[in-house]
Amino acid sequence: MDKLLIEGGSRLQGTVQISGAKNSAVALIPATILADSPVTIDQLPNISDVRILCKLLREIGGTVSFEEHTFVVDPRNMVDMPLPNGSVKRLRASYYLMGAMLGRFHKAVIGLPGGCNLGPRPIDQHIKGFEALGAKVTNERGAIYLRANSLHGARIYLDVVSVGATINIMLDAVKAEGQTIIENAAKEPEIIDVATLLTSMGAKIKGAGTDVIRIEGVHELHGCRHMIIPDRIEAGTFMVAGAAVSDNLLIDNVIPQHVEPLTAKLREIGADVQVGEDQVFVSRSRMPLKSADVKTLVYPGFPTDLQQPLTSLLTQAEGTSIITDTIYGARFKHIDELRRMGADVKVEGRSAILSGPTPLEGAKVRATDLRAGASLIIAGLMARGITEIVGVEHIDRGYDHIMEKLQGVGANIWREPMRDEEARESLKEQE
Ligand code: EPU
């Protein structure tokens, strides 16, 4: 087990290349189960969530290669093998195996998904969708059993706008008999990306990216080649890092529209952000940063996944900032760690209330989840002295070579193996 060390104070300068979107990748890979010939996906991020999904596709009989960011799968020999335990529990997105396997085999057994602990993360809307399409769903000893004699189109209104449920219902509906309409669907770019792949495979989907998606079921889906969209959350994380400690950071391979809510917020705080065609330049302005209130919302609102990184930046803003997470009201596990580094911040209900600016000092901190890890890296870049981050496995789940990318633009960041007693302590705290 490694820990990540950062010596704060370096000014970042240069170009960072953004990888393919994690939250697309984890849905695109299961979607390939539905094809009856090989599928190639280009520019997949090299992160542990993707490697786990590759392993799961192999477990059910797929032939998978993942080299140089290109993923090729031959799904022809896949079988409806139950996956109640093991790797499936290590990532949240394993729930997409439910929709995809149900769509292809009309049955699936999937262990309840793990992933970041952000408070309760129910999947009732996914299940409501599967049932509407004709599946019988039961929860037996911590695994979800799905069975259907046949799948038929249905009209499904999501009570909660959910990225996962919208994609899962699409995966299940593309091969169901007749028309499915998803109302109050989520509109995230990752949903459009999955719909694009499915359409290239022969599916008939209209309205992805709006709140009503119409799907006409087809009997067969075939292989294709697909290029994933860039990761807007990785891009956003580097934009925040740029606003914190860069003279001129060029973030390359971005769809600027996907990061608009962050661009607007960073400008409001006082950072210099310039937008090109598929690039964004960010610099810390010479003026003191201004405080701001932030409320996370479904797309195109401010993304919950960038709330934690932005909180670190706001410790350096003058005045009081209030950050409210309306999507995950308990996504504040980074706050105690930021306090260890000197931040003046407290959590009240679904909000973090910050007073700044406060100088940050390097400390030993724990990344409790993926984006908490990103927020601690940004805090470490701004802090005086050395910050030691444990829980790096959470960061590796979703950021493709973040250490190397930061080193490439001048950050003083490195990994060290944890000492035996540190590893033992770390495992104990995780339990
Ligand atoms: N919800 C329900 N019932 C459901 C599904 C969701 O009540 O059946 C609630 C959730 O508890 C949450 C809200 O609806 O309060 C939104 O959840 P959503 O389903 O949209 O989230 P998700 O699909 O589980 C994805 C990303 C998250 C990201 C959210 C919101 C993946 C694998 N995960 O999760 O990404 O925060 O959408 O945009 O795509 C991350 O990347 O760090 C991450 C956690």
Side-chain angles (χ1 to χ4, degrees):
M1 283 169 90
D2 283 346
K3 57 188 175 184
L4 203 53
L5 292 100
I6 303 168
E7 183 170 20
S10 307
R11 305 290 292 182
L12 306 187
Q13 201 166 20
T15 303
V16 180
Q17 286 295 332
I18 297 306
S19 300
K22 163 195 167 260
N23 288 345
S24 267
V26 296
L28 295 173
I29 297 172
T32 63
I33 294 174
L34 292 159
D36 62 11
S37 50
V39 180
T40 302
I41 305 176
D42 293 308
Q43 293 304 326
L44 274 196
N46 190 355
I47 52 177
S48 65
D49 272 9
V50 163
R51 292 191 295 272
I52 293 172
L53 279 167
C54 289
K55 184 165 172 263
L56 285 164
L57 292 202
R58 285 191 194 106
E59 271 178 42
I60 62 168
T63 309
V64 179
S65 78
F66 179 41
E67 278 165 26
E68 302 285 324
H69 298 275
T70 297
F71 163 89
V72 185
V73 59
D74 184 343
R76 277 174 290 201
N77 294 328
M78 286 181 180
V79 291
D80 55 354
M81 192 163 89
L83 297 168
N85 290 306
S87 309
V88 86
K89 300 223 169 205
R90 287 175 54 201
L91 77 163
R92 175 88 187 148
S94 50
Y95 53 43
Y96 291 131
L97 295 167
M98 296 179 192
M101 289 180 81
L102 186 59
R104 170 152 171 194
F105 303 115
H106 289 187
K107 61 177 176 181
V109 177
I110 309 292
L112 273 173
C116 286
N117 177 7
L118 314 176
R121 295 179 75 180
I123 55 165
D124 55 303
Q125 298 303 305
H126 305 230
I127 291 171
K128 168 175 151 171
F130 298 146
E131 287 177 338
L133 292 164
K136 186 169 179 304
V137 185
T138 53
N139 180 349
E140 295 169 31
R141 296 180 300 278
I144 302 288
Y145 284 66
L146 306 113
R147 306 172 189 89
N149 292 327
S150 62
L151 293 169
H152 49 77
R155 193 179 194 108
I156 300 156
Y157 183 91
L158 295 180
D159 304 323
V160 186
V161 181
S162 158
V163 176
T166 303
I167 293 179
N168 236 339
I169 296 169
M170 282 198 317
L171 294 176
D172 196 16
V174 280
K175 289 185 79 181
E177 203 64 50
Q179 192 187 50
T180 297
I181 301 177
I182 311 173
E183 292 173 319
N184 201 25
K187 297 184 280 202
E188 269 67 0
E190 292 74 21
I191 291 164
I192 303 178
D193 203 22
V194 176
T196 306
L197 170 77
L198 291 169
T199 304
S200 304
M201 285 162 58
K204 293 193 177 153
I205 304 173
K206 283 191 185 150
T210 76
D211 55 10
V212 181
I213 302 180
R214 289 188 164 76
I215 301 162
E216 206 60 59
V218 296
H219 289 296
E220 279 175 15
L221 294 174
H222 48 74
C224 66
R225 187 161 198 142
H226 177 80
M227 167 81 94
I228 192 171
I229 57 168
D231 194 314
R232 64 194 167 99
I233 306 300
E234 186 198 12
T237 303
F238 280 105
M239 286 170 69
V240 175
V245 289
S246 90
D247 289 325
N248 199 349
L249 192 63
L250 170 59
I251 298 148
D252 192 29
N253 188 33
V254 187
I255 298 177
Q257 196 195 352
H258 290 176
V259 290
E260 248 170 27
L262 178 66
T263 302
K265 201 45 83 176
L266 289 180
R267 285 180 176 151
E268 184 185 326
I269 293 169
D272 183 14
V273 186
Q274 309 218 17
V275 175
E277 207 168 288
D278 60 355
Q279 297 177 325
V280 178
F281 297 84
V282 185
S283 316
R284 167 94 189 238
S285 79
R286 297 282 154 208
M287 309 296 286
L289 296 174
K290 290 179 277 210
S291 60
D293 291 345
V294 183
K295 192 183 257 188
T296 69
L297 291 167
V298 294
Y299 190 83
F302 192 92
T304 166
D305 297 339
L306 289 173
Q307 172 264 106
Q308 291 158 295
L310 188 70
T311 304
S312 297
L313 178 65
L314 285 171
T315 64
Q316 302 310 303
E318 248 174 29
T320 303
S321 300
I322 302 179
I323 298 132
T324 305
D325 200 317
T326 71
I327 311 290
Y328 294 115
R331 198 173 200 174
F332 288 115
K333 298 205 171 58
H334 57 306
I335 297 294
D336 279 346
E337 308 303 302
L338 290 177
R339 285 160 65 117
R340 266 184 234 275
M341 297 177 70
D344 182 356
V345 54
K346 61 180 177 184
V347 177
E348 275 183 19
R350 291 177 156 254
S351 300
I353 301 163
L354 276 157
S355 299
T358 44
L360 297 179
E361 298 283 340
K364 288 188 178 189
V365 288
R366 165 170 301 280
T368 50
D369 57 84
L370 171 61
R371 309 300 172 188
S375 95
L376 296 176
I377 290 178
I378 288 163
L381 291 169
M382 297 189 298
R384 214 171 54 189
I386 293 183
T387 299
E388 264 188 53
I389 305 176
V390 298
V392 179
E393 61 282 2
H394 292 291
I395 300 172
D396 292 338
R397 281 190 35 226
Y399 286 96
D400 186 347
H401 290 93
I402 191 165
M403 180 186 77
E404 291 79 359
K405 288 186 186 183
L406 283 168
Q407 284 170 340
V409 289
N412 198 1
I413 177 170
W414 67 100
R415 276 176 194 251
E416 280 178 15
M418 278 163 82
R419 292 191 306 275
D420 283 351
E421 84 258 24
E422 282 177 331
R424 269 196 303 275
E425 221 172 274
S426 183
L427 283 171
K428 224 183 326 164
E429 280 183 45
Q430 276 174 37
E431 275 161 13

